[in-house]
Amino acid sequence: MTLNGWIQILLFLAAVALVTVPLGRFMAAVFARERTWLDPVLGPIERIIYRLTGVNASHDMRWTEYGLSMLAFSLVSMLGLYALQRLQGVLPFNPQGLPGVAPDLAFNTAASFTTNTNWQAYAGETTMSYLTQMAGLAYQNFMSAAAGIALAIVFIRAIAARERETLGNFWVDMTRATLWVLLPVCLVGALALVSQGVVQNFKPYERVQLVDPQTTTTTDARGQTVAATVTEQVIAQGPVASQEIIKQFGTNGGGFFNANSAHPFENPTPLSNVLAMFAIFAISAGLTATLGQMTQSPRHGWAVWGAMAFLFLAGVTTAYWAEAAGNPLLADTDQQSGAMCPGGNMEGKEARFGIASSVLFATITTDASCGAVNAMHDSFTPLGGLVPLVNMMLGEVIFGGVGAGMYGILIFVVLAVFIAGLMVGRTPEYLGKKIEAFDVQMAMLAVLVVPLVVLVFTGISVVSPAFGTSSIWNPGPHGLTEILYAYTSGAANNGSAFAGLSANTPWYNVTLAASMLVGRFLVIIPMLALAGNLARKNLVPPSLGTFPVTTPLFASLLVGVIVIVGVLTFFPVLSLGPIVEHFLMRAGTTF
Amino acid sequence: MALTRHLLTAARLTVVTTVLLGLVYPLVVTAVAQVLFPDQANGQLLSRDGVLIGSRIIGQPFTSAGYFYSRPSAAGAGYDAGASSGSNLGPTNKKLIDRVAGDVARLRADAGGTAVPIDLVTTSASGLDPHLSPAAALYQVARVARQRRLPPEDVRQLVEAHIEPRQLGVFGEPVVNVLLLNLALDARAPRPR
């Protein structure tokens, strides 16, 4: 670990802290339909959209109608994405002439992008046409993120409401999240990325002559040695920047290219890397201030922010320590970090990012439900790879996915308040709302769905040589971690991978798609039911027995609840995967 | 039917927003980017003697002893810029340990037996890493100088002139662009046959 590395990490956190309040207040105004400085431009576009879609913007929905609209939209846009992939071969913007995508892969990808997961069982540059990338995948990046923000706003409205049945209008919240929040930051951010070298064009792939032509030898079917000379390099192109920026701001994470944010055309410089990481956390951090603003308790917003920042720092410290320590099995290599050399475990990492920028990115992308990667998590040291895995298992509530992180942590807040109430023997209250049996039942349902899906599918896969373990790339305990990571990533809607696992098979495509759909919608439905129930309640004035949710004590309790739920659920399987691999690596065992 | 009505609204919103976000937005970004940053937006292509020879920010394979070697690559057969990929080999995988040991043995023989900078024997995440750490480039000075019949001090200075510092003095790591360094080397001394 170096001083410079720590400065990079702390500067990043400071930037997130600075943007929290301005962005949070702005979003509070947008969803309260107050005037903002963008109204002169966006107001007319908003009205045109409502006219073309027949939306009655003054209609208020109950939680059931809100949920139904959300499901209807997800279904329709998912079918649209499926059709677009299947038909891309006969559609325009396809200079490489890529054929239609296979049915199981197209289903997996449609589920993946609709649920804001962006799990990628394909390699972008060899599978998806430019039209599919921008009108299918980047489009879903916008809409799934907007849906997440809308749902978070609904939950916050429910907490702030007093004896109300309705929670807002789904179509209006979606439209305003897209136009006011996502589109402006993406227009500016995309151009900033291009200035750093992210490509943005519609050209076919470039052919260039290699400076040092390569001779490779292979053995043919008859056992003869055949020498082949490679003199050309084919360089993939495309409208990358416009997709790259929403991939980060929307915490989607689906790369234009197979190597995702490690590819020099997606993430060319340390500055583009910082912008990407900042974009991943910005909206989710802002939502904590939106929470404070709308519930008229800014200090509660900061208490939630503080719990998140603590868990973030714990994760990045562990990962940084593990990766900087390097791999003891690689003899006669210089892994010391210094002014001229990054040192550490550099397998699967880019030289321009070194260790600090790589572990920071890995922590952020799994704290949030982003899943973009600038280094290959499969090649991390066991404990370095444990951190992203645990981040996802904790429910991606460390800032979290846009919106999803907010409603995710609010569910944990309800549990924390409930547990505090049990400890002092009083009916728990959260910002004046009594937390009763139905509320806790819904919160527990939402919390238990992800572990259930992850453990069941992982369990089936690891005892099925024919279709489960046959996809493993790294033998030994690392293979278990690959499968566990895949289902955790799917169910938590992250989308990053221990990418050695050959996941483009019918079994993994279908079960991972199912994990993503369950992990998204079966969390959202109990969450909405909880929100609907909270909104109906009247406010109880605070008394001496009320547990304040604005203090460091509350933040610590929140951290405790998150960690205990996560660790109790997953510790057994983690001990058989990354933890045992760590000790075996130290003892010099290879597989 | 409430559900039918919602599905209809959903379909209309999908069409309208797809046009806005899926077509208009990327086309606008492309138009502005092509005007403001034409070089970056098109991949920073380099040509020599009228022939396209690569992108400034996409790595190429260099395996001839007269060039600075680039890092090993897992993209296709190596530096396939149409199929980016890392090796995805885990830290305890024998394939990784053996591959690194083979490269280490070869490189150490050329460099007087000192330990090899780790980035020179590990694959990058993209398989297209255009850079080496300064240490990994300096490690190869003796061999390259010998092959090119240049004084080692000249080659060392060439490397040092190609070190790119951290951005804004803080972000990322110092690096050397292998393609640019090797092109400068070709300009300094003809390639040995």
Side-chain angles (χ1 to χ4, degrees), chain A residues 159-192:
Chain A
I159 295 164
R162 181 189 282 237
E163 295 184 309
R164 274 187 59 174
E165 290 291 330
T166 57
L167 294 168
N169 183 305
F170 174 72
W171 311 112
V172 172
D173 289 341
M174 281 288 279
T175 307
R176 291 184 75 83
T178 309
L179 291 182
W180 267 262
V181 182
L182 297 173
L183 196 52
V185 292
C186 285
L187 278 170
V188 177
L191 293 171

Side-chain angles (χ1 to χ4, degrees), chain A residues 393-395 397 407-415 440-453 522-524 526-527 530 561-562 564-566 569-570:
Chain A
M393 288 170 170
L394 296 183
V397 293
Y407 62 72
I409 199 144
L410 286 175
I411 288 169
F412 278 111
V413 167
V414 166
L415 288 180
V440 176
Q441 285 159 7
M442 290 301 117
M444 283 315 296
L445 267 183
V447 166
L448 289 177
V449 159
V450 167
L452 184 74
V453 172
L522 289 194
V523 171
I524 287 175
M527 183 280 289
L530 171 57
V561 169
I562 293 168
I564 287 169
V565 167
T569 316
F570 289 108

Side-chain angles (χ1 to χ4, degrees), chain A residues 509-591:
Chain A
N509 274 338
V510 172
T511 52
L512 281 165
S515 310
M516 297 183 241
L517 293 168
V518 169
R520 173 96 168 168
F521 297 112
L522 289 194
V523 171
I524 287 175
I525 292 167
M527 183 280 289
L528 277 175
L530 171 57
N533 197 46
L534 286 179
R536 251 178 244 130
K537 301 182 190 202
N538 201 350
L539 295 181
V540 189
S543 68
L544 260 181
T546 305
F547 180 61
V549 290
T550 53
T551 57
L553 178 66
F554 162 75
S556 320
L557 185 70
L558 181 57
V559 168
V561 169
I562 293 168
V563 171
I564 287 169
V565 167
V567 168
L568 284 185
T569 316
F570 289 108
F571 183 76
V573 68
L574 289 174
S575 64
L576 295 175
I579 294 175
V580 77
E581 192 192 9
H582 169 73
F583 290 113
L584 289 171
M585 180 181 82
R586 290 276 144 197
T589 312
T590 60
F591 295 91

Side-chain angles (χ1 to χ4, degrees), chain A residues 190-313:
Chain A
L191 293 171
L193 286 181
V194 177
S195 79
Q196 292 299 303
V198 181
V199 296
Q200 180 73 24
N201 62 59
F202 290 98
K203 294 190 301 184
Y205 298 177
E206 290 285 352
R207 288 180 174 278
V208 301
Q209 296 296 318
L210 289 179
V211 175
D212 185 21
Q214 302 290 305
T215 307
T216 55
T217 51
T218 49
T219 313
D220 70 5
R222 287 188 219 138
Q224 307 273 338
T225 306
V226 187
T229 309
V230 180
T231 59
E232 276 192 337
Q233 187 182 39
V234 176
I235 302 182
Q237 299 280 345
V240 179
S242 55
Q243 179 162 342
E244 183 67 16
I245 191 71
I246 182 61
K247 155 188 140 184
Q248 315 292 15
F249 268 115
T251 62
N252 298 282
F256 196 96
F257 302 113
N258 186 44
N260 209 299
S261 284
H263 195 295
F265 278 174
E266 282 200 41
N267 194 1
T269 66
L271 273 189
S272 66
N273 193 57
V274 170
L275 176 58
M277 296 189 297
F278 174 75
I280 295 172
F281 268 7
I283 293 176
S284 299
L287 280 171
T288 63
T290 310
L291 170 72
Q293 178 91 358
M294 288 173 66
T295 59
Q296 290 164 0
S297 176
R299 289 177 60 203
H300 174 52
W302 280 114
V304 171
W305 193 97
M308 292 171 162
F310 174 83
L311 287 166
F312 159 74
L313 283 172

